[in-house]
Amino acid sequence: MLTKTALLLGAAMAICPLPSLSQCVNTMTPTCGVYTSCFADRCACDGSPFEYFKSYGAKYCTAFLELPGLSAKGAAWRNATLKCLQEKIVPLLPKDGQSKSCNCQQMQLSAFDSHVACYTQPSASICELDVSDWQKILAATDPVKTLQDQKSRKQLLVVARMCLVDPVAVQAKDVIQKVIDKLK
């Protein structure tokens, strides 16, 4: 029986030349280099209004990875979320290895579409984090830019609404409601 990791390794081997295979494999320890060392190379969108990997993926991956003071549960959520987001991208990369065949607009849309599911995974959901973790995470997302960017606003609003009705999200309900009020 193939595990998810084995399947992803196979997918990475199919799209990454052998010398750079290690750059495309998702390690057990969260890292952000894969956005620039593999994803951006396999889907060349520099200069496109739909570039995602460097301007968004790597930027926020690094911000979350360097986020100080998360609780143990918050750090576990961050690690699971970063891994999930990266795993969702691998199967979307051009199978032919030709970065020019990548549809930058579709890649950006697909990457954004994966955020809500990764943030709210049953095994590690943002909805179950303490208020202090929510505050740190929101601060790390560059709140002014998040409120101005329609795709970011949409995903944050969807997550906040999901969490508001989550029976486990009792501690952060006030913070979640404030987020929803700002996004309306």
Side-chain angles (χ1 to χ4, degrees):
M1 180 179 201
L2 289 175
T3 65
K4 188 174 184 178
T5 304
L7 289 172
L8 288 172
L9 181 58
M13 290 175 73
I15 59 175
C16 298
L18 207 46
S20 62
L21 176 61
S22 63
Q23 297 170 346
C24 300
V25 175
N26 195 350
T27 64
M28 294 302 288
T29 306
T31 62
C32 301
V34 70
Y35 285 98
T36 54
S37 67
C38 178
F39 299 161
D41 285 347
R42 303 290 172 233
C43 185
C45 296
D46 284 344
S48 165
F50 304 106
E51 194 286 317
Y52 171 86
F53 298 123
K54 294 176 184 177
S55 63
Y56 198 94
K59 174 184 175 180
Y60 288 108
C61 179
T62 302
F64 283 122
L65 204 53
E66 295 175 352
L67 192 59
L70 287 175
S71 68
K73 195 171 190 175
W77 169 82
R78 176 202 59 211
N79 295 348
T81 298
L82 294 179
K83 183 174 182 182
C84 177
L85 292 169
Q86 293 170 11
E87 287 177 347
K88 297 279 188 189
I89 290 169
V90 171
L92 304 174
L93 295 170
K95 306 291 184 255
D96 61 6
Q98 300 296 315
S99 64
K100 297 293 183 198
S101 67
C102 184
N103 180 328
C104 299
Q105 184 174 9
Q106 185 57 49
M107 183 60 74
Q108 183 193 60
L109 180 63
S110 296
F112 268 105
D113 285 350
S114 71
H115 289 190
V116 172
C118 289
Y119 296 163
T120 58
Q121 301 172 76
S123 61
S125 175
I126 193 171
C127 299
E128 298 173 11
L129 298 182
D130 294 336
V131 172
S132 62
D133 285 332
W134 263 84
Q135 291 169 330
K136 290 173 181 117
I137 291 164
L138 289 172
T141 61
D142 194 354
V144 173
K145 251 190 168 167
T146 299
L147 292 174
Q148 293 172 344
D149 180 75
Q150 189 165 347
K151 290 182 285 294
S152 297
R153 281 174 63 97
K154 179 184 171 193
Q155 70 184 9
L156 184 54
L157 187 58
V158 170
V159 168
R161 285 184 173 150
M162 287 173 69
C163 291
L164 199 57
V165 298
D166 186 318
V168 182
V170 176
Q171 290 190 25
K173 291 238 188 261
D174 289 341
V175 172
I176 295 168
Q177 187 59 56
K178 286 177 185 174
V179 167
I180 291 172
D181 292 343
K182 286 183 181 180
L183 294 172
K184 286 183 180 178

